[in-house]
Every structure is written in C-alpha cells, then in structure tokens.
Amino acid sequence: MVFDFFNSEDCLEVNNFYKKLLAEVPDLIFQFVIDADNQYSFPLVSRSVDEIFELAIDKFTDDIKLIIYERILPQDRDMFFQTLVKARKEIKPWEIEFRAVLPKKGLRWFRISAKTELSDGDKVSFFGHVSDITELKDKEEKLRISEERFQFALDASTVGIWDWDMVTNNVFYSSLSLKILELESSDIFDDPERWDKIVHPDDLPKYYSDIKEHFENKIPYYENYHRVMTSSGNYKWILDRGKVIKRDENGKPLRVIGTHTDISLQKEKELELLKTMKLYSDQNSRLLNFSHIVSHNLNTQAGNIKSILDFIDADGDKETVTEMLEHLRTVSNDLNETISNLSQIVKTQSNINITVGPLKLFEYIEKTISTIKGHSKQKKVTIINNVPEYLIINFNPAYLESVLLNFTTNAIKYAHPDRDPVIVFDYGLETDGHKSLKITDNGLGIDLKVYGDLLFGMYKTFHKHEEARGIGLYITRNQIEAMKGTVSVESEVGVGTSFKITFNDL
C-alpha cells in the first residue's frame, strides 16, 4: 500500500508540516521497503515524483519496479540493480548515478542517495532522495570537453602556463613551462626569481621594463621576447605574455597569469633570414660599387689611351712619339693590372662550386710564415702562432692561403717606423659556437671613425705607401664571405690593428 506522507490523524499537524516542507524540496523524497519475499512497498513518496520521474504517485505498487526498469537506459540497468542488491545485502548506503529515458523529457541523469536499515522480519528499508542532475552532468561534460581541448592545445604546442600570486609571492609553473627549461618535473609552485635568474643579462632591462609598464597600466598586457638558460646551459628564445587579473583598490597588482612559448626555432630562422638579407644587401652594394669602379677606371684609362694616340696623330715628331709611347706603356700596364684585379674579384664572387675541405689552420699559418720570409729584409719581423695544431676548419685551400698571406703582408707593409713588426695569430671560440682567428699587429693602425666604412672598399687606401693599391682587403673579404664567414676589425692609430675572421664552422 502507498502512503502519501503520514496518514495518522494523531500526527495530522506534523504531517501537514512535512507536506509543506517537502513540497518546497525539488528532489524526490522516498522510503521503500524490500521484504524477505522480495516484495516492494513504498510507505513514503513525495509528490515531486511526477515532476522528476514523470510517474503518478498512485502507481507506486510492487509492479512499479518494472516501469522503473523499462525507463532506465539499457546500458545502466545492470549497474542500477547490482548496486541496489549490494546495498540491501550489506546494509550499506545506496549511492548511484544513472540515466533514464522519460516519456516527455527524454534522456535524463539521476542520482540516488539513500540510507539503508534492517528491521524485523528481515525487511530492509531505504530512506533517501532522487535528484535530477542532468544540468550538472551537461556542465561537467562541457567542462570535460573544454579541458580536453585545452590540454590537447597545450600538449600539441610549446606553451607553458604561469600564475603569479603577488600577495604570497609564489608562482605556479606548469609542467610545460618547466619542460621548456629541460626540467623533468610536474607542475610546481616556486618563487618568481627562478625565471629572473635565468633570463639572459642582455634581455633583462627590456624584460623588467615591459612588466613594469603593464603593472602601471600603461599597456593592456605584458609581452616580451627574451632568452632563458636551460638546465643544459644553453639559451632558448621565449615569448613571455602576461596580464594582471586582480588588483587592489589602489590598482596595485595582486595576481598575474601568463604563458611561456618556446620560439627558438622561429627566432633562429628569423636571425638566419636577417643574416641572409644583410648578405644580399652587402652583395648588391658591392656589385653597384664594382660597376662604378669598372666604369670609372676603364673609361679613364681608355680615355688616356685615346688622348695619347691623338697626340701621336697630331704630332709626328719622333721625340714626341717616343715620349707618348712610354706614357702609353704605363697606361697599358695600369689597365692590365686593373683588369687582373677585377677578374680576380669576379672569379671569387661568381664561383659557386668552390672546393671546401677540412684544413689544419696551424699548418697554413706556418706555410704563410715560410712564404713571407725575406719579404722585407730591412725589418726584423716576429710572427707568433698561438693556434692549436689540432684545430680543423672547413675552407678552400687557395682562399685560405690568400687570406692569411694578405693580412700578414699588410701588417708588414704598414709597420710602425719606430718598431719592428710583431704579428700574432690567436684562436677563439665565439658564444654561438663558431671558430675564429684573430690576427693582431703593432703597426700604424687605422682611424676607424674616419675610415671604418671604407676599410674593405675597392681601391681605398689609408696610408701613403707606394705599394698601396686598395684592392687586397676587398678581395680578402670577398674570399672570406664566399666561405660564408665574416671579418671584423679593431684598430687604434699608432698602436696597431686586429682583424678577426669568424669561420662558418660549428
């Protein structure tokens, strides 16, 4: 028999109170009993059963279990009744979430929470409530999908998350943030100094400046590119973004959330592109300069030849002809030298199949020293070779001989008149891993403030030396750059000059 709440007249007032109270409870309140013969009875069922489960209260008889069974989603039926049997057998609370298909509302999620008691005659009573948790499940599912998508986005990228609580001065670093640093660790809380200590010193001023601007509300969010040192001792390029999400009443930041993105690969490509663009720009400038020189020099010498021939045609005097022929020979020799120099430059710049091989730099320097012995007998030349004998570089043999010989002979040619020339060859390793060779002399030196931009130009001379042609350094730089290397210079007038060749070796 189904009882609608309490039916005793003696408890009428109490019953009315509970009726009003339970009418305000959205959940389905129930008590049902299973006796030793597996007969079901429902002493208490709240009227919300019609709203929640779409069942009339007068249908709660022993046969109601068949209606309930039919409405439970087939995939959940076995679990539903197994948990009920277990709770009845062990006299333990019955807790379950399941799905049911209702006639009007369709598929719904429900949760049952019930206390279990054993009474006389081996009867088991269940006191509890049924909640419609469909909306909660929908939210949980949406949240789960959102979290899966977010986690996939993080896993598929190199983005790490950080969360800085400025009140406690603790920063949360996600595992991906630590992975950027090559640290095998789970998400951790740490102090903000961790990141500050590993930012490249050259990047720190801009790093702090950008953060400060955002904290002072001058920019809507913080964004900075900088390098950080990993556990292996190498630097990585990081895109660091952040935004204050909580401030106090005075606008002081209390909490900041942001991301770390590993952009090392993009940055390397960017730097390589800039390097390539500079190379093309330099090559275009040299090509333009070369065309001007060819035009000027050849036109000038061709004009000189024409003028001399005009003199010969106009004056048939033997002495005049002889004198003009001497001038013609001089101009002809100069023209041959110019054409030879220009041909060598063209050959260097147009040779795309240059033979490159592993060369022992020490041996080539020693060969250069042997070659220049007797180059200047009137001077005592000291050459010091500090390059390790084992050092190997990849270079063209002929170019290397030419480069070393040109720098060495220049050091002797432009030696200081008050002291014997000293030339030192030193090996170095650049911060990016490239090998370098520094050639230092104690000669006249060059005023780089005046001549720095012209130093490697064609036919540029800076000292009044009778053998100066202004072509050697131009050719030398072309040979070094043909090997994808670079050359730089440091000099002080009256002290000496240092040329540094950076090879394209890692």
Side-chain angles (χ1 to χ4, degrees):
M1 179 178 181
V2 176
F3 293 91
D4 184 10
F5 300 101
F6 302 92
N7 294 316
S8 172
E9 293 182 1
D10 296 336
C11 299
L12 183 60
E13 289 186 8
V14 175
N15 195 14
N16 286 335
F17 168 76
Y18 280 110
K19 281 183 179 181
K20 293 177 181 179
L21 178 63
L22 295 177
E24 299 301 319
V25 177
D27 290 357
L28 162 61
I29 308 300
F30 69 86
Q31 176 194 2
F32 80 89
V33 180
I34 306 176
D35 62 20
D37 298 326
N38 283 327
Q39 297 297 312
Y40 287 67
S41 61
F42 294 86
L44 173 63
V45 178
S46 66
R47 293 189 179 278
S48 57
V49 65
D50 187 25
E51 174 65 24
I52 291 180
F53 214 70
E54 295 184 7
L55 284 173
I57 197 169
D58 57 5
K59 292 185 179 294
F60 274 77
T61 63
D62 185 57
D63 294 333
I64 193 66
K65 63 183 180 182
L66 299 176
I67 300 175
I68 293 175
Y69 180 82
E70 289 177 355
R71 292 191 178 182
I72 295 174
L73 198 69
Q75 295 94 312
D76 295 350
R77 287 173 184 171
D78 185 63
M79 173 188 64
F80 182 91
F81 285 102
Q82 288 296 331
T83 57
L84 175 60
V85 170
K86 184 177 180 181
R88 175 192 177 190
K89 181 179 180 181
E90 298 178 359
I91 314 300
K92 289 185 177 180
W94 182 29
E95 303 280 349
I96 185 176
E97 292 181 358
F98 66 97
R99 292 164 292 178
V101 180
L102 306 184
K104 297 178 182 178
K105 294 181 181 179
L107 183 65
R108 308 294 290 180
W109 272 97
F110 296 97
R111 178 188 293 132
I112 294 178
S113 296
K115 178 183 177 182
T116 308
E117 289 184 356
L118 180 65
S119 56
D120 296 338
D122 291 332
K123 292 182 179 180
V124 177
S125 298
F126 294 87
F127 305 88
H129 63 94
V130 180
S131 305
D132 187 330
I133 59 170
T134 305
E135 289 187 8
L136 177 62
K137 281 292 185 179
D138 287 344
K139 290 178 181 179
E140 286 180 355
E141 181 64 11
K142 289 178 181 178
L143 179 60
R144 182 189 66 80
I145 293 173
S146 177
E147 287 178 345
E148 285 179 349
R149 289 171 179 167
F150 178 69
Q151 189 61 46
F152 175 78
L154 289 179
D155 292 343
S157 68
T158 53
V159 177
I161 305 296
W162 54 269
D163 186 342
W164 183 8
D165 184 341
M166 299 184 71
V167 177
T168 62
N169 202 35
N170 282 332
V171 181
F172 164 81
Y173 293 109
S174 72
S175 56
L176 282 169
S177 267
L178 298 177
K179 186 178 180 181
I180 291 173
L181 302 180
E182 299 174 5
L183 295 174
E184 297 296 332
S185 177
S186 301
D187 301 350
I188 65 166
F189 284 91
D190 206 347
D191 60 89
E193 282 73 26
R194 167 184 284 274
W195 213 264
D196 295 0
K197 291 174 183 176
I198 59 176
V199 174
H200 194 287
D202 293 346
D203 299 338
L204 275 173
K206 184 73 165 56
Y207 171 71
Y208 287 129
S209 173
D210 288 346
I211 292 176
K212 184 181 178 183
E213 275 201 318
H214 176 54
F215 283 0
E216 294 175 354
N217 256 333
K218 294 179 180 178
I219 51 177
Y221 59 91
Y222 152 73
E223 181 176 283
N224 182 263
Y225 296 87
H226 55 259
R227 289 159 289 180
V228 292
M229 182 176 286
T230 67
S231 60
S232 63
N234 298 317
Y235 279 104
K236 281 186 177 180
W237 276 99
I238 301 298
L239 169 58
D240 191 3
R241 287 193 177 111
K243 185 176 178 62
V244 175
I245 62 168
K246 187 177 181 182
R247 296 178 183 266
D248 64 15
E249 61 276 7
N250 299 316
K252 181 181 178 181
L254 299 178
R255 186 181 173 199
V256 193
I257 290 180
T259 61
H260 292 136
T261 308
D262 185 349
I263 57 167
S264 300
L265 185 59
Q266 299 95 303
K267 199 66 178 179
E268 287 172 8
K269 290 181 179 178
E270 177 187 328
L271 294 174
E272 188 63 32
L273 179 61
L274 290 174
K275 184 178 178 181
T276 302
M277 289 174 65
K278 184 179 184 305
L279 178 61
Y280 283 132
S281 176
D282 290 345
Q283 287 177 340
N284 287 337
S285 297
R286 289 198 298 274
L287 180 60
L288 184 61
N289 184 43
F290 180 78
S291 66
H292 288 325
I293 289 169
V294 169
S295 175
H296 176 268
N297 287 16
L298 295 185
N299 284 339
T300 299
Q301 290 167 344
N304 289 339
I305 292 173
K306 184 179 182 302
S307 296
I308 292 172
L309 292 175
D310 287 343
F311 271 113
I312 293 174
D313 288 340
D315 191 342
D317 184 72
K318 187 177 180 180
E319 290 183 4
T320 302
V321 172
T322 301
E323 183 182 351
M324 289 300 105
L325 287 175
E326 289 179 3
H327 287 307
L328 184 60
R329 183 172 295 279
T330 301
V331 173
S332 176
N333 290 337
D334 289 343
L335 179 58
N336 284 336
E337 184 180 354
T338 298
I339 293 174
S340 176
N341 290 336
L342 296 177
S343 297
Q344 187 173 353
I345 293 166
V346 170
K347 184 179 179 181
T348 301
Q349 293 183 339
S350 62
N351 191 353
I352 59 175
N353 295 315
I354 307 171
T355 303
V356 177
L359 309 176
K360 287 190 175 181
L361 184 57
F362 176 87
E363 293 181 359
Y364 275 80
I365 294 173
E366 290 297 312
K367 184 178 180 180
T368 301
I369 294 172
S370 298
T371 302
I372 59 96
K373 280 182 180 179
H375 176 82
S376 183
K377 297 179 180 178
Q378 71 274 19
K379 292 177 181 176
K380 180 183 177 183
V381 181
T382 302
I383 301 179
I384 302 171
N385 184 3
N386 291 327
V387 174
E389 294 187 28
Y390 61 82
L391 183 67
I392 300 292
I393 62 167
N394 289 302
F395 217 82
N396 175 266
Y399 283 3
L400 185 57
E401 288 181 7
S402 175
V403 167
L404 295 176
L405 189 60
N406 189 64
F407 280 130
T408 307
T409 54
N410 271 2
I412 297 171
K413 185 188 300 182
Y414 301 111
H416 198 283
D418 299 331
R419 53 181 178 259
D420 292 328
V422 177
I423 307 167
V424 181
F425 291 87
D426 287 310
Y427 162 71
L429 189 64
E430 303 302 295
T431 55
D432 59 3
H434 287 91
K435 303 167 187 174
S436 65
L437 174 68
K438 181 177 280 190
I439 307 164
T440 306
D441 65 53
N442 63 340
L444 293 171
I446 305 167
D447 189 341
L448 295 179
K449 291 182 180 179
V450 178
Y451 302 114
D453 295 336
L454 306 173
L455 185 60
F456 292 100
M458 193 185 299
Y459 297 120
K460 305 298 182 182
T461 58
F462 315 103
H463 299 292
K464 295 179 180 180
H465 194 286
E466 60 182 10
E467 297 179 12
R469 294 289 182 270
I471 195 68
L473 285 180
Y474 184 86
I475 293 174
T476 298
R477 185 178 71 170
N478 273 267
Q479 291 172 330
I480 293 171
E481 291 182 348
M483 295 287 95
K484 297 183 179 179
T486 59
V487 59
S488 58
V489 61
E490 295 177 357
S491 188
E492 184 177 347
V493 175
V495 176
T497 304
S498 288
F499 288 96
K500 183 167 75 171
I501 306 168
T502 303
F503 301 100
N504 188 38
D505 277 26
L506 286 174

